[in-house]
Amino acid sequence: MAVVISSSGNAQAFEAKMTVYVFICVIIAAVGGLIFGYDIGISGGVTAMDDFLKEFFPAVYERKKHAHENNYCKYDNQFLQLFTSSLYLAALVASFFASATCSKLGRKPTMQFASIFFLISVGLAAGAVNMYMLIIGRILLGFGVGFGNQAVPLFLSEIAPARLRGGLNIVFQLMVTIGILIANIVNYFTSSVHPYGWRLALGGAGVPALILLFGSLLICETPTSLIERNKTKEGKDTLKKIRGVENVDEEYESIVHACDIARQVKDPYTKLMKPASRPPFVIGMLLQFFQQFTGINAIMFYAPVLFQTVGFGNDAALLSAVITGTINVLSTFVGIFLVDKTGRRFLLLQSSVHMLICQLVIGIILAKNLDVTGTLGRTQALVVVIFVCLYVMGFAWSWGPLGWLIPSETFPLETRTEGFALAVSCNMFFTFVIAQAFLSMLCGMKSGIFFFFSGWIVVMGLFALFFVPETKGVSIDDMRDSVWKLHWYWKRFMLEEDEHDVEKRTA
Ligand code: BGC
């Protein structure tokens, strides 16, 4: 499949305006990211609501009532975790189907499928009268996320004028964080609506799903997708429309050329296994693992639960989640601003040290002061919240957006969508692992869980230091020569392939 994108740093100088139409398209498509964020944020609040627990998880509700028996274990329940995590497993599977619909049918229908999955799933989950409806609803939501997360970042990259591409890519992450924040606010207000607050909270996702469904009727297909599917005239007309200029010949030719090259690669997945694909492949997959093992989703999914664990009341816990959500959104702007200035490596390294300190402080306070049955003092609880906020800040300008940006800009054209699809599903897999395991880990490891994540932060910092080269300002189609061939470790794979090519030619 062909994806024609160039980095913001070395954008080809095709004639283009930032048209109102492109702006509208970007906003509508990014609503897909907002729904993803809403789902991340909503489950923690819903699973902390008594009405919800009474109806579906009575055992957890009983245990919670006797919370003084064990702080760390009151929410530990495999089914409760399955409610949160099933979505990600479904999204993992769905992203492979979505990769196929993206190339065969286009980005726009893939987004429309996503919105239909979202709508059906919201109906099922918000109207659930038994566990099956609830879980099937979550699974369909996962399908929506899989389709949306595959199509939206690609759509954004292809529709944006080249010089704005880096920043526009992070609009996706920005919308994710806004979705999480909206969910936190909705959780806060619906928690006092009895007994149906949780239905309103889960049903809330219907609003952006409708915006995506109807909004997607207004947006265009991307020129690359049209040209790739041999609709060349329509592709050229769309290009003129979105660029706001008559002369689009150069950009059009470059897309046609890219499509020709991509068509020659019959099996991109085999190509991904070749040595030359090793650097973006290994980095792209490991970034997903590391992004999740920063422990961010332990906070995002379970913030209210976590704050209750350290002794906040129900309302205070939900309110604290609103505060962390706000910080998450604001700090993402810092990422948008810095990513093309300080570069990717600086952000990854700075935040590794930053997040490490926060995790250690939280772990030490909990280890020293929160025993299995007591609560934290007011000041200590406040310090925990402050360090959770600082931690979220560090994540939001680094591993959060870069986890999506780096895999979208480092694969060569021939394997770009397939490489990205693998990265999306890898992200979903590790998100699933954390969602499924966190509450049991909290119960088993107690405050030690924060030292566990700290250990991984050390590993990922070292990985970034030695294995993630700077890609700021490098043209997306020039990674091989300007980045991999110059890197102390990755260059061996490039040489290996060059030697292989020479052997093939002389044989
Ligand atoms: C991650 C999510 C996370 C979110 C937090 C995203 O980049 O993929 O798993 O919940 O950031 O803002």
Side-chain angles (χ1 to χ4, degrees), residues 215-494:
S216 67
L217 300 175
L218 299 176
I219 67 181
C220 60
E221 183 51 88
T222 71
T224 311
S225 172
L226 290 166
I227 297 168
E228 186 185 17
R229 289 176 292 125
N230 295 321
K231 300 184 175 180
T232 43
K233 165 136 185 13
E234 214 181 320
K236 195 165 186 180
D237 291 344
T238 309
L239 197 58
K240 285 185 188 164
K241 184 171 174 191
I242 62 174
R243 296 292 175 248
V245 292
E246 266 309 297
N247 183 8
V248 291
D249 291 351
E250 246 185 285
E251 184 170 2
Y252 173 75
E253 286 309 324
S254 90
I255 299 176
V256 170
H257 180 65
C259 291
D260 286 345
I261 296 179
R263 277 190 202 110
Q264 285 163 21
V265 175
K266 291 283 170 277
D267 185 0
Y269 286 105
T270 311
K271 178 111 188 159
L272 272 174
M273 297 302 134
K274 295 266 156 63
S277 300
R278 204 65 42 87
F281 184 78
V282 171
I283 292 176
M285 303 308 132
L286 277 182
L287 279 188
Q288 311 308 319
F289 170 79
F290 288 143
Q291 189 202 54
Q292 293 304 315
F293 276 75
T294 53
I296 186 66
N297 278 328
I299 308 242
M300 290 298 144
F301 297 143
Y302 300 117
V305 170
L306 197 69
F307 287 131
Q308 281 189 21
T309 299
V310 301
F312 281 79
N314 217 340
D315 269 10
L318 287 171
L319 192 59
S320 310
V322 174
I323 296 170
T324 49
T326 309
I327 291 187
N328 194 16
V329 174
L330 297 180
S331 310
T332 305
F333 282 104
V334 179
I336 294 180
F337 181 72
L338 289 182
V339 70
D340 290 320
K341 295 198 169 58
T342 60
R344 286 74 166 138
R345 269 173 67 80
F346 172 80
L347 291 175
L348 291 176
L349 295 174
Q350 181 281 336
S351 67
S352 299
V353 178
H354 176 144
M355 291 192 294
L356 176 65
I357 296 172
C358 297
Q359 291 275 19
L360 288 177
V361 172
I362 299 170
I364 291 170
I365 295 182
L366 295 191
K368 282 178 75 178
N369 303 300
L370 184 65
D371 54 25
V372 174
T373 52
T375 53
L376 281 186
R378 263 186 86 84
T379 329
Q380 288 157 344
L382 194 67
V383 175
V384 168
V385 171
I386 291 175
F387 275 88
V388 167
C389 290
L390 287 173
Y391 162 83
V392 167
M393 207 181 258
F395 175 88
W397 63 53
S398 60
W399 293 84
L402 295 179
W404 299 103
L405 176 62
I406 295 178
S408 83
E409 67 178 11
T410 47
F411 283 100
L413 182 63
E414 322 75 90
T415 51
R416 197 162 291 150
T417 51
E418 290 74 14
F420 191 66
L422 281 177
V424 173
S425 47
C426 216
N427 186 290
M428 294 301 142
F429 177 72
F430 292 115
T431 310
F432 164 78
V433 170
I434 294 287
Q436 186 64 30
F438 176 69
L439 294 177
S440 309
M441 283 163 79
L442 185 66
C443 175
M445 300 165 82
K446 318 229 162 10
S447 55
I449 186 133
F450 292 95
F451 301 112
F452 170 81
F453 288 129
S454 305
W456 282 113
I457 293 178
V458 173
V459 177
M460 68 188 71
L462 291 174
F463 178 78
L465 183 63
F466 293 112
F467 295 103
V468 182
E470 184 55 67
T471 46
K472 171 190 99 171
V474 180
S475 162
I476 199 160
D477 293 314
D478 197 29
M479 294 289 161
R480 185 185 162 92
D481 289 338
S482 303
V483 177
W484 311 127
K485 275 190 168 178
L486 307 180
H487 187 266
W488 73 274
Y489 181 73
W490 299 121
K491 68 178 174 203
R492 70 192 65 191
F493 296 103
M494 303 301 125

